[in-house]
Amino acid sequence: MEVTKSTEGFEAINPNGSLMRKVIHLDHLMMTIFEFHNGPMETPDPPHQHIHEQITYVASGSLKLFVEDREYLLNEGDVYKIESNLNHSIQTLTEYVKLVDSFTPLREEFL
């Protein structure tokens, strides 16, 4: 389907539904939308890394981004990029945060 409406396609990532994810993809292009409803976080998420390159648009809210040994304060409208295999994590600073991620290659574990 060519169109996904704003209220369609979200799935709960955790049992209480405070983290929601929507995945939209083609054969070689992927976008995910994450909605965090559990902020502000007391501590950052555990750092992780993956082979995928990532570009993220902060659609709503504020957060801290941690990449390797660097820390950034990000607000609505900011964009960040993560190269392959770098340790990174976030910490939401507002009650609600919405992130729009693009990945290459596709994150098969999200499908």
Side-chain angles (χ1 to χ4, degrees), residues 33-50:
I33 301 170
F34 282 95
E35 290 187 343
F36 297 82
H37 299 270
N38 59 348
M41 295 176 173
E42 291 184 21
T43 59
D45 280 339
H48 68 281
Q49 61 176 278
H50 42 74

Side-chain angles (χ1 to χ4, degrees), residues 21-91:
R21 178 178 65 202
K22 179 190 299 198
V23 177
I24 304 99
H25 69 92
L26 296 166
D27 291 338
H28 305 285
L29 179 63
M30 169 179 267
M31 175 187 290
T32 62
I33 301 170
F34 282 95
E35 290 187 343
F36 297 82
H37 299 270
N38 59 348
M41 295 176 173
E42 291 184 21
T43 59
D45 280 339
H48 68 281
Q49 61 176 278
H50 42 74
I51 63 164
H52 313 87
E53 293 180 328
Q54 174 180 347
I55 296 176
T56 300
Y57 172 71
V58 181
S60 185
S62 297
L63 63 125
K64 285 184 184 176
L65 170 68
F66 304 90
V67 181
E68 296 291 332
D69 61 349
R70 299 173 299 282
E71 180 180 320
Y72 304 93
L73 177 61
L74 300 170
N75 296 295
E76 183 174 323
D78 292 340
V79 177
Y80 63 87
K81 59 185 181 179
I82 307 291
E83 293 182 32
S84 180
N85 296 314
L86 292 181
N87 283 317
H88 60 283
S89 68
I90 66 163
Q91 179 179 6

